[in-house]
Coordinates of all heavy atoms in Angstrom, one line a residue:
M9 N 0.8 -1.2 0.0 CA 0.0 0.0 0.0 C 0.9 1.2 0.0 O 2.0 1.2 0.3 CB -0.9 0.0 1.2 CG -1.9 -1.1 1.2 SD -3.5 -0.4 1.8 CE -4.5 -1.8 1.6
G10 N 0.3 2.4 -0.3 CA 1.0 3.6 -0.4 C 1.2 4.3 0.9 O 0.7 3.9 2.0
D11 N 1.9 5.4 0.9 CA 2.2 6.3 2.0 C 1.0 7.2 2.2 O 0.4 7.6 1.3 CB 3.5 7.0 1.9 CG 4.7 6.1 2.0 OD1 4.5 5.0 2.4 OD2 5.8 6.6 1.7
I12 N 0.8 7.6 3.5 CA -0.2 8.6 3.8 C 0.5 9.7 4.7 O 1.5 9.5 5.3 CB -1.4 8.1 4.6 CG1 -0.9 7.3 5.8 CG2 -2.2 7.1 3.7 CD1 -2.1 6.9 6.7
S13 N -0.1 10.9 4.7 CA 0.4 12.0 5.5 C -0.4 12.0 6.8 O -1.6 12.0 6.8 CB 0.3 13.3 4.8 OG 1.2 13.3 3.7
I14 N 0.4 12.1 7.9 CA -0.3 12.2 9.2 C 0.4 13.2 10.0 O 1.6 13.6 9.7 CB -0.3 10.8 10.0 CG1 1.1 10.3 10.3 CG2 -1.1 9.8 9.2 CD1 1.1 9.1 11.2
K15 N -0.2 13.7 11.1 CA 0.4 14.6 12.0 C 0.4 14.0 13.4 O -0.6 13.5 13.8 CB -0.3 16.0 12.0 CG -0.1 16.7 10.7 CD -0.8 18.1 10.8 CE -0.6 18.8 9.5 NZ -1.3 20.1 9.5
I16 N 1.6 14.0 14.0 CA 1.7 13.3 15.3 C 2.1 14.4 16.3 O 3.0 15.2 16.0 CB 2.8 12.2 15.3 CG1 2.4 11.1 14.4 CG2 3.1 11.7 16.7 CD1 1.2 10.4 14.7
N17 N 1.4 14.5 17.4 CA 1.7 15.4 18.5 C 2.5 14.7 19.6 O 2.0 13.8 20.2 CB 0.4 16.0 19.0 CG 0.7 17.1 20.0 OD1 1.5 17.1 20.9 ND2 -0.2 18.2 19.9
I18 N 3.7 15.2 19.8 CA 4.5 14.7 20.9 C 5.0 15.9 21.7 O 5.7 16.8 21.2 CB 5.7 13.8 20.4 CG1 5.2 12.6 19.6 CG2 6.6 13.4 21.6 CD1 6.3 11.8 19.0
A19 N 4.7 15.9 23.0 CA 5.2 16.9 23.9 C 4.8 18.3 23.4 O 5.6 19.2 23.4 CB 6.7 16.9 24.2
D20 N 3.6 18.4 23.0 CA 3.0 19.7 22.5 C 3.6 20.2 21.2 O 3.6 21.4 21.0 CB 3.0 20.8 23.6 CG 2.2 20.3 24.8 OD1 1.2 19.7 24.6 OD2 2.6 20.7 25.9
R21 N 4.3 19.4 20.5 CA 4.8 19.8 19.2 C 4.2 18.8 18.1 O 4.1 17.6 18.4 CB 6.3 19.7 19.1 CG 7.0 20.7 20.1 CD 8.5 20.7 20.0 NE 8.9 21.5 18.9 CZ 10.2 21.8 18.6 NH1 11.1 21.2 19.4 NH2 10.5 22.6 17.7
V22 N 3.9 19.4 17.0 CA 3.3 18.6 15.9 C 4.4 18.3 14.9 O 5.2 19.1 14.5 CB 2.1 19.4 15.2 CG1 1.6 18.6 14.1 CG2 1.1 19.7 16.3
Y23 N 4.4 17.0 14.5 CA 5.3 16.5 13.6 C 4.6 15.9 12.4 O 3.9 14.9 12.5 CB 6.2 15.4 14.2 CG 7.0 15.9 15.3 CD1 6.6 15.9 16.6 CD2 8.3 16.5 15.1 CE1 7.3 16.3 17.7 CE2 9.0 17.0 16.2 CZ 8.5 16.9 17.5 OH 9.3 17.4 18.5
P24 N 4.7 16.5 11.2 CA 4.1 15.9 10.0 C 5.0 14.7 9.5 O 6.2 14.9 9.4 CB 4.1 17.0 9.0 CG 5.1 18.0 9.4 CD 5.3 17.8 10.9
L25 N 4.3 13.6 9.2 CA 5.1 12.4 8.8 C 4.4 11.8 7.6 O 3.2 11.9 7.4 CB 5.1 11.4 9.9 CG 5.7 11.7 11.2 CD1 5.4 10.6 12.3 CD2 7.2 12.0 11.1
R26 N 5.2 11.1 6.8 CA 4.6 10.3 5.7 C 5.0 8.8 6.1 O 6.1 8.5 6.3 CB 5.3 10.6 4.4 CG 4.7 11.9 3.8 CD 5.0 12.1 2.3 NE 4.4 11.1 1.5 CZ 3.1 11.0 1.1 NH1 2.3 11.9 1.5 NH2 2.8 10.1 0.2
V27 N 3.9 8.1 6.3 CA 4.1 6.7 6.8 C 3.2 5.8 5.9 O 2.3 6.2 5.2 CB 3.7 6.5 8.2 CG1 4.5 7.5 9.1 CG2 2.2 6.9 8.4
S28 N 3.6 4.5 5.9 CA 2.7 3.5 5.2 C 1.5 3.3 6.0 O 1.4 3.5 7.3 CB 3.5 2.2 5.1 OG 3.6 1.6 6.3
V29 N 0.4 2.9 5.4 CA -0.9 2.7 6.0 C -0.7 1.6 7.2 O -1.3 1.8 8.2 CB -1.9 2.2 5.0 CG1 -3.2 1.8 5.7 CG2 -2.2 3.2 4.0
E30 N 0.2 0.6 6.9 CA 0.4 -0.4 7.9 C 1.1 0.1 9.2 O 0.9 -0.4 10.3 CB 1.3 -1.5 7.3 CG 0.6 -2.3 6.2 CD 0.8 -1.6 4.8 OE1 1.7 -0.7 4.7 OE2 0.1 -2.0 3.9
E31 N 1.9 1.2 9.1 CA 2.6 1.7 10.2 C 1.8 2.7 11.0 O 2.2 3.0 12.1 CB 3.9 2.5 9.7 CG 5.0 1.6 9.2 CD 6.2 2.4 8.7 OE1 6.0 3.4 7.9 OE2 7.3 2.2 9.2
E32 N 0.8 3.3 10.4 CA 0.1 4.4 11.0 C -0.4 4.1 12.4 O -0.2 4.8 13.4 CB -1.1 4.8 10.2 CG -1.9 6.0 10.9 CD -3.2 6.4 10.1 OE1 -3.6 5.6 9.2 OE2 -3.7 7.4 10.5
E33 N -1.0 3.0 12.6 CA -1.6 2.6 13.9 C -0.5 2.5 15.0 O -0.6 3.0 16.1 CB -2.4 1.3 13.9 CG -3.0 0.9 15.2 CD -3.7 -0.4 15.1 OE1 -3.9 -0.9 14.0 OE2 -4.1 -0.9 16.2
V34 N 0.6 1.8 14.6 CA 1.8 1.7 15.5 C 2.4 3.0 15.9 O 2.7 3.3 17.1 CB 2.8 0.7 14.9 CG1 4.1 0.7 15.7 CG2 2.3 -0.6 14.6
I35 N 2.5 3.9 14.9 CA 3.1 5.2 15.2 C 2.2 6.0 16.1 O 2.7 6.7 17.0 CB 3.4 5.9 13.9 CG1 4.6 5.2 13.2 CG2 3.8 7.4 14.1 CD1 4.9 5.7 11.8
R36 N 0.9 6.0 15.8 CA 0.0 6.7 16.7 C 0.0 6.2 18.1 O -0.1 6.9 19.1 CB -1.4 6.7 16.1 CG -1.6 7.6 14.8 CD -3.0 7.7 14.4 NE -3.1 8.4 13.2 CZ -3.0 9.8 13.0 NH1 -2.8 10.5 14.0 NH2 -3.2 10.3 11.8
H37 N 0.1 4.9 18.2 CA 0.1 4.3 19.6 C 1.4 4.6 20.3 O 1.4 4.9 21.5 CB 0.0 2.7 19.4 CG -0.1 2.0 20.7 ND1 -1.2 2.2 21.6 CD2 0.8 1.2 21.3 CE1 -1.0 1.4 22.6 NE2 0.2 0.8 22.5
A38 N 2.5 4.6 19.6 CA 3.8 5.0 20.2 C 3.8 6.5 20.7 O 4.2 6.7 21.8 CB 4.9 4.8 19.2
A39 N 3.2 7.3 19.9 CA 3.1 8.7 20.3 C 2.2 8.9 21.5 O 2.6 9.7 22.4 CB 2.5 9.6 19.1
K40 N 1.2 8.1 21.6 CA 0.3 8.1 22.7 C 1.0 7.7 24.0 O 0.9 8.3 25.0 CB -1.0 7.3 22.5 CG -1.9 7.2 23.6 CD -3.1 6.4 23.3 CE -4.0 6.4 24.5 NZ -4.8 5.2 24.7
L41 N 1.8 6.6 23.9 CA 2.6 6.1 25.0 C 3.6 7.1 25.4 O 3.8 7.3 26.7 CB 3.2 4.8 24.6 CG 2.3 3.6 24.4 CD1 3.2 2.4 23.9 CD2 1.6 3.2 25.7
I42 N 4.3 7.8 24.5 CA 5.3 8.8 24.8 C 4.6 9.9 25.6 O 5.1 10.3 26.6 CB 6.0 9.3 23.6 CG1 6.8 8.2 23.0 CG2 6.8 10.5 23.9 CD1 7.3 8.4 21.6
N43 N 3.5 10.4 25.1 CA 2.8 11.5 25.8 C 2.3 11.1 27.2 O 2.4 11.9 28.1 CB 1.7 12.0 24.9 CG 2.2 12.8 23.7 OD1 3.1 13.6 23.9 ND2 1.5 12.7 22.6
E44 N 1.8 9.9 27.3 CA 1.4 9.4 28.6 C 2.6 9.3 29.6 O 2.5 9.7 30.8 CB 0.7 8.1 28.5 CG -0.6 8.1 27.9 CD -1.3 6.8 27.6 OE1 -0.6 5.7 27.8 OE2 -2.4 6.7 27.1
K45 N 3.7 8.9 29.1 CA 4.9 8.7 29.9 C 5.4 10.1 30.3 O 5.8 10.4 31.5 CB 6.0 8.0 29.2 CG 7.3 7.8 30.0 CD 7.1 7.1 31.3 CE 6.9 5.7 31.2 NZ 6.8 5.0 32.5
I46 N 5.4 11.1 29.4 CA 5.8 12.5 29.7 C 4.9 13.0 30.8 O 5.4 13.7 31.8 CB 5.8 13.3 28.5 CG1 6.9 13.0 27.5 CG2 5.8 14.8 28.8 CD1 6.9 13.6 26.2
K47 N 3.6 12.8 30.7 CA 2.6 13.3 31.7 C 2.9 12.7 33.1 O 2.9 13.4 34.1 CB 1.2 13.0 31.2 CG 0.2 13.6 32.2 CD -1.2 13.3 31.7 CE -2.3 13.8 32.6 NZ -3.6 13.4 32.3
E48 N 3.2 11.4 33.0 CA 3.5 10.7 34.3 C 4.8 11.2 34.9 O 4.8 11.5 36.1 CB 3.7 9.2 34.0 CG 4.1 8.4 35.2 CD 4.4 6.9 34.8 OE1 3.7 6.4 33.9 OE2 5.3 6.4 35.4
L49 N 5.8 11.4 34.1 CA 7.0 12.0 34.7 C 6.8 13.4 35.2 O 7.4 13.8 36.2 CB 8.1 12.0 33.6 CG 8.6 10.6 33.2 CD1 9.4 10.7 31.9 CD2 9.4 10.0 34.3
Q50 N 6.0 14.2 34.5 CA 5.8 15.6 34.9 C 5.0 15.6 36.2 O 5.3 16.5 37.1 CB 4.9 16.2 33.8 CG 5.0 17.7 33.7 CD 4.4 18.3 32.5 OE1 3.6 17.6 31.8 NE2 4.8 19.5 32.1
E51 N 4.2 14.7 36.4 CA 3.4 14.6 37.7 C 4.2 14.1 38.9 O 4.0 14.5 40.0 CB 2.1 13.7 37.5 CG 1.1 14.3 36.6 CD 0.0 13.4 36.2 OE1 0.1 12.2 36.6 OE2 -1.0 13.8 35.6
N52 N 5.2 13.2 38.6 CA 6.0 12.6 39.7 C 7.3 13.3 40.0 O 7.9 13.0 41.0 CB 6.2 11.2 39.3 CG 4.9 10.3 39.3 OD1 4.1 10.5 40.2 ND2 4.8 9.4 38.4
Y53 N 7.7 14.2 39.1 CA 9.0 14.8 39.3 C 8.8 16.3 39.1 O 7.9 16.8 38.4 CB 10.1 14.3 38.4 CG 10.4 12.8 38.6 CD1 9.7 11.9 37.7 CD2 11.2 12.4 39.6 CE1 10.0 10.5 37.9 CE2 11.4 11.0 39.8 CZ 10.8 10.1 38.9 OH 11.0 8.8 39.1
A54 N 9.7 17.1 39.7 CA 9.7 18.6 39.6 C 10.3 19.1 38.4 O 10.9 20.1 38.4 CB 10.3 19.2 40.9
V55 N 10.2 18.3 37.3 CA 10.8 18.7 36.0 C 9.7 19.3 35.1 O 8.6 18.7 35.0 CB 11.4 17.5 35.3 CG1 12.0 17.9 34.0 CG2 12.5 16.9 36.2
R56 N 9.9 20.4 34.6 CA 8.9 21.1 33.7 C 9.4 21.2 32.3 O 8.6 21.4 31.4 CB 8.5 22.4 34.2 CG 7.7 22.3 35.6 CD 6.4 21.7 35.4 NE 5.7 21.4 36.7 CZ 5.5 20.2 37.1 NH1 5.8 19.2 36.4 NH2 4.9 20.1 38.3
D57 N 10.7 21.2 32.1 CA 11.3 21.4 30.8 C 11.0 20.2 29.9 O 11.3 19.1 30.3 CB 12.8 21.6 30.9 CG 13.4 21.9 29.5 OD1 13.2 22.9 28.9 OD2 14.2 21.0 29.1
K58 N 10.4 20.5 28.8 CA 10.0 19.4 27.9 C 11.2 18.5 27.4 O 11.0 17.3 27.2 CB 9.2 19.9 26.6 CG 7.9 20.5 27.0 CD 6.9 19.5 27.4 CE 5.5 20.2 27.6 NZ 4.5 19.3 28.1
Q59 N 12.3 19.2 27.1 CA 13.5 18.5 26.7 C 13.9 17.5 27.8 O 14.3 16.3 27.5 CB 14.6 19.4 26.4 CG 15.9 18.7 25.8 CD 15.6 18.1 24.5 OE1 15.0 18.7 23.6 NE2 16.1 16.9 24.3
D60 N 13.9 17.9 29.0 CA 14.3 17.0 30.1 C 13.3 15.8 30.2 O 13.7 14.7 30.4 CB 14.4 17.7 31.4 CG 15.5 18.7 31.5 OD1 16.5 18.5 30.7 OD2 15.5 19.6 32.3
L61 N 12.0 16.1 30.1 CA 11.0 15.1 30.1 C 11.1 14.1 29.0 O 11.0 12.9 29.2 CB 9.6 15.7 30.1 CG 9.3 16.5 31.4 CD1 8.0 17.3 31.2 CD2 9.1 15.5 32.6
L62 N 11.4 14.6 27.8 CA 11.6 13.7 26.6 C 12.8 12.9 26.8 O 12.8 11.7 26.5 CB 11.7 14.6 25.4 CG 10.4 15.1 24.8 CD1 10.7 16.2 23.7 CD2 9.6 14.0 24.2
S63 N 13.9 13.4 27.3 CA 15.1 12.7 27.6 C 14.9 11.5 28.6 O 15.3 10.4 28.4 CB 16.2 13.6 28.1 OG 16.6 14.5 27.1
M64 N 14.2 11.9 29.7 CA 13.9 10.8 30.7 C 13.0 9.7 30.1 O 13.2 8.5 30.3 CB 13.2 11.5 31.9 CG 14.1 12.4 32.7 SD 13.3 13.4 33.9 CE 12.6 12.1 35.0
C65 N 12.0 10.1 29.3 CA 11.1 9.2 28.6 C 11.9 8.3 27.7 O 11.7 7.0 27.7 CB 10.1 10.0 27.8 SG 8.9 9.0 27.0
V66 N 12.8 8.8 26.9 CA 13.6 8.0 25.9 C 14.5 7.1 26.7 O 14.6 5.9 26.3 CB 14.4 8.9 25.0 CG1 15.5 8.2 24.3 CG2 13.5 9.7 24.1
L67 N 15.1 7.5 27.8 CA 15.9 6.7 28.6 C 15.2 5.5 29.1 O 15.6 4.3 29.1 CB 16.5 7.5 29.7 CG 17.5 6.7 30.7 CD1 18.7 6.1 29.9 CD2 17.9 7.6 31.8
Q68 N 13.9 5.7 29.6 CA 13.1 4.6 30.1 C 12.8 3.6 29.0 O 12.9 2.4 29.2 CB 11.9 5.1 30.8 CG 12.2 5.8 32.2 CD 11.0 6.1 33.0 OE1 9.8 5.9 32.5 NE2 11.1 6.7 34.2
Y69 N 12.3 4.1 27.9 CA 12.0 3.2 26.8 C 13.2 2.5 26.3 O 13.1 1.3 26.0 CB 11.2 3.9 25.7 CG 9.8 4.2 26.0 CD1 9.2 5.5 26.1 CD2 8.9 3.1 26.3 CE1 7.9 5.7 26.5 CE2 7.6 3.3 26.6 CZ 7.1 4.6 26.7 OH 5.8 4.8 27.0
A70 N 14.3 3.1 26.2 CA 15.5 2.5 25.6 C 16.0 1.4 26.6 O 16.4 0.3 26.2 CB 16.6 3.5 25.4
T71 N 15.9 1.7 27.9 CA 16.3 0.7 28.9 C 15.4 -0.5 28.8 O 15.8 -1.7 28.9 CB 16.2 1.3 30.3 OG1 17.1 2.5 30.4 CG2 16.6 0.3 31.4
G72 N 14.1 -0.3 28.7 CA 13.1 -1.4 28.6 C 13.4 -2.2 27.3 O 13.3 -3.5 27.3
M73 N 13.7 -1.5 26.2 CA 14.0 -2.2 25.0 C 15.3 -3.1 25.1 O 15.3 -4.3 24.6 CB 14.2 -1.2 23.8 CG 14.3 -1.9 22.5 SD 14.5 -0.7 21.1 CE 16.2 -0.2 21.4
I74 N 16.3 -2.6 25.7 CA 17.5 -3.3 25.9 C 17.3 -4.5 26.8 O 17.8 -5.6 26.5 CB 18.6 -2.4 26.5 CG1 19.1 -1.4 25.4 CG2 19.8 -3.2 27.0 CD1 20.0 -0.3 26.0
K75 N 16.5 -4.4 27.9 CA 16.2 -5.5 28.7 C 15.4 -6.6 27.9 O 15.7 -7.8 28.1 CB 15.4 -5.0 29.9 CG 16.2 -4.3 30.9 CD 15.2 -3.9 32.1 CE 16.0 -3.0 33.1 NZ 15.1 -2.6 34.2
A76 N 14.5 -6.2 27.1 CA 13.7 -7.1 26.3 C 14.6 -7.8 25.3 O 14.5 -9.1 25.1 CB 12.6 -6.4 25.6
E77 N 15.5 -7.1 24.7 CA 16.4 -7.8 23.7 C 17.3 -8.8 24.4 O 17.5 -9.9 23.9 CB 17.3 -6.7 23.0 CG 16.6 -5.9 22.0 CD 17.4 -4.8 21.4 OE1 18.5 -4.5 22.0 OE2 17.0 -4.2 20.4
R78 N 17.8 -8.4 25.6 CA 18.7 -9.4 26.4 C 17.9 -10.6 26.8 O 18.4 -11.7 26.7 CB 19.2 -8.7 27.6 CG 20.3 -7.7 27.3 CD 21.0 -7.1 28.5 NE 22.0 -6.2 28.2 CZ 22.6 -5.4 29.0 NH1 22.2 -5.4 30.3 NH2 23.6 -4.6 28.6
N79 N 16.6 -10.4 27.2 CA 15.8 -11.5 27.5 C 15.5 -12.4 26.3 O 15.6 -13.6 26.5 CB 14.4 -11.0 28.1 CG 13.6 -12.1 28.7 OD1 14.1 -13.1 29.2 ND2 12.3 -11.9 28.6
N80 N 15.3 -11.8 25.2 CA 15.1 -12.6 24.0 C 16.4 -13.4 23.6 O 16.3 -14.6 23.2 CB 14.7 -11.8 22.8 CG 13.3 -11.4 22.8 OD1 12.5 -12.0 23.4 ND2 12.9 -10.3 22.1
Q81 N 17.5 -12.8 23.8 CA 18.8 -13.4 23.5 C 19.0 -14.6 24.4 O 19.4 -15.7 24.0 CB 20.0 -12.5 23.6 CG 20.0 -11.5 22.5 CD 21.1 -10.4 22.7 OE1 21.7 -10.3 23.8 NE2 21.3 -9.6 21.7
M82 N 18.6 -14.4 25.7 CA 18.8 -15.5 26.7 C 17.8 -16.7 26.4 O 18.2 -17.8 26.4 CB 18.5 -15.0 28.1 CG 19.7 -14.1 28.6 SD 19.4 -13.4 30.2 CE 19.1 -14.8 31.2
Q83 N 16.6 -16.3 25.9 CA 15.6 -17.4 25.5 C 16.1 -18.1 24.3 O 16.0 -19.3 24.2 CB 14.3 -16.7 25.3 CG 13.6 -16.3 26.6 CD 12.2 -15.7 26.3 OE1 11.9 -15.4 25.2 NE2 11.5 -15.4 27.4
D84 N 16.7 -17.3 23.3 CA 17.2 -18.0 22.1 C 18.3 -18.9 22.5 O 18.4 -20.0 21.9 CB 17.7 -16.9 21.1 CG 16.5 -16.1 20.5 OD1 15.4 -16.6 20.6 OD2 16.8 -15.1 19.8
K85 N 19.2 -18.5 23.4 CA 20.3 -19.3 23.8 C 19.8 -20.6 24.5 O 20.3 -21.7 24.3 CB 21.2 -18.5 24.8 CG 22.4 -19.3 25.3 CD 23.4 -19.6 24.2 CE 24.6 -20.2 24.9 NZ 25.3 -21.2 24.0
G86 N 18.7 -20.4 25.3 CA 18.1 -21.6 25.9 C 17.6 -22.6 24.9 O 17.7 -23.8 25.1
V87 N 17.0 -22.1 23.9 CA 16.4 -22.9 22.8 C 17.6 -23.6 22.1 O 17.5 -24.8 21.8 CB 15.5 -22.1 21.9 CG1 15.2 -22.9 20.6 CG2 14.3 -21.6 22.6
E88 N 18.6 -22.9 21.8 CA 19.8 -23.4 21.1 C 20.4 -24.5 21.9 O 20.7 -25.6 21.4 CB 20.8 -22.4 20.8 CG 20.4 -21.4 19.7 CD 21.4 -20.3 19.6 OE1 22.6 -20.4 20.0 OE2 21.1 -19.3 18.9
D89 N 20.5 -24.3 23.2 CA 21.1 -25.3 24.1 C 20.2 -26.6 24.2 O 20.7 -27.7 24.1 CB 21.3 -24.8 25.5 CG 22.4 -23.7 25.6 OD1 23.2 -23.6 24.7 OD2 22.4 -23.0 26.7
A90 N 18.9 -26.4 24.2 CA 18.0 -27.5 24.3 C 18.1 -28.3 23.0 O 18.1 -29.5 23.0 CB 16.6 -27.0 24.5
L91 N 18.1 -27.6 21.8 CA 18.2 -28.3 20.5 C 19.5 -29.0 20.4 O 19.6 -30.2 19.9 CB 18.0 -27.3 19.4 CG 16.6 -26.8 19.2 CD1 16.6 -25.7 18.1 CD2 15.7 -27.9 18.8
S92 N 20.6 -28.4 20.9 CA 21.9 -29.1 20.8 C 21.9 -30.4 21.7 O 22.4 -31.4 21.3 CB 23.0 -28.1 21.3 OG 24.2 -28.7 21.3
E93 N 21.3 -30.3 22.9 CA 21.2 -31.4 23.8 C 20.4 -32.5 23.1 O 20.7 -33.7 23.1 CB 20.6 -31.0 25.1 CG 20.4 -32.2 26.1 CD 21.8 -32.8 26.5 OE1 22.8 -32.2 26.5 OE2 21.7 -34.0 26.9
L94 N 19.3 -32.1 22.5 CA 18.4 -33.1 21.9 C 19.1 -33.7 20.7 O 19.0 -35.0 20.5 CB 17.1 -32.4 21.4 CG 16.1 -33.3 20.6 CD1 15.6 -34.4 21.5 CD2 14.9 -32.5 20.2
D95 N 19.9 -33.0 19.9 CA 20.6 -33.5 18.8 C 21.6 -34.5 19.3 O 21.8 -35.6 18.8 CB 21.3 -32.4 18.1 CG 22.2 -32.9 16.9 OD1 21.6 -33.6 16.0 OD2 23.4 -32.6 16.9
H96 N 22.3 -34.2 20.4 CA 23.3 -35.1 21.0 C 22.6 -36.4 21.5 O 23.2 -37.5 21.2 CB 24.0 -34.4 22.2 CG 25.0 -35.3 22.9 ND1 26.2 -35.7 22.4 CD2 24.9 -35.9 24.1 CE1 26.8 -36.5 23.2 NE2 26.0 -36.6 24.3
V97 N 21.5 -36.3 22.1 CA 20.8 -37.5 22.6 C 20.4 -38.4 21.4 O 20.6 -39.6 21.5 CB 19.6 -37.1 23.5 CG1 18.7 -38.3 23.8 CG2 20.1 -36.5 24.8
L98 N 19.8 -37.7 20.4 CA 19.4 -38.5 19.2 C 20.5 -39.1 18.5 O 20.5 -40.3 18.1 CB 18.5 -37.6 18.3 CG 17.2 -37.2 18.8 CD1 16.5 -36.2 17.9 CD2 16.3 -38.4 19.0
T99 N 21.6 -38.4 18.4 CA 22.8 -38.9 17.7 C 23.3 -40.2 18.5 O 23.6 -41.2 17.9 CB 23.9 -37.9 17.6 OG1 23.4 -36.8 16.9 CG2 25.2 -38.4 17.0
E100 N 23.4 -40.1 19.8 CA 23.9 -41.2 20.6 C 22.9 -42.4 20.5 O 23.3 -43.5 20.4 CB 24.0 -40.8 22.1 CG 25.2 -39.8 22.3 CD 26.5 -40.4 21.9 OE1 26.8 -41.6 22.2 OE2 27.3 -39.7 21.2
F101 N 21.6 -42.1 20.5 CA 20.6 -43.1 20.4 C 20.7 -43.9 19.1 O 20.7 -45.1 19.1 CB 19.2 -42.5 20.5 CG 18.1 -43.5 20.3 CD1 17.7 -44.4 21.4 CD2 17.4 -43.6 19.1 CE1 16.7 -45.3 21.2 CE2 16.4 -44.5 18.9 CZ 16.0 -45.4 20.0
F102 N 20.9 -43.2 18.0 CA 20.9 -43.9 16.7 C 22.3 -44.5 16.4 O 22.4 -45.3 15.5 CB 20.6 -42.9 15.5 CG 19.1 -42.6 15.5 CD1 18.7 -41.3 15.8 CD2 18.2 -43.6 15.2 CE1 17.3 -41.0 15.7 CE2 16.8 -43.3 15.2 CZ 16.4 -42.0 15.4
K103 N 23.3 -44.2 17.2 CA 24.6 -44.9 17.1 C 24.5 -46.3 17.6 O 25.3 -47.2 17.2 CB 25.7 -44.1 17.9 CG 26.2 -42.9 17.2 CD 27.3 -42.3 18.0 CE 27.9 -41.1 17.3 NZ 29.0 -40.5 18.2
K104 N 23.6 -46.5 18.5 CA 23.4 -47.9 19.1 C 22.8 -48.9 18.2 O 22.1 -48.8 17.4 CB 22.7 -47.7 20.4 CG 23.4 -46.9 21.4 CD 22.7 -46.8 22.7 CE 23.4 -45.9 23.7 NZ 22.8 -45.8 24.9

């Protein structure tokens, strides 16, 4: 499908974007999450500068993403180890 023009509001600034139809929902949802996190940070901390709030927001999301990536890598490693063990067991079984 083709690209569409949308406007996304993040931290009281409007950003015009051209996105694919498939991406629109994800981008709008991401902007909503960012604005909610900024509001939460603003309510819980004595920070009012939007740049500081955006930086804190990005840091939290980046930290969460890195943790998720590490978790996936550990799960992938566990699957690899299990498959390797299964391969070893089957190889030994069929040698007999």
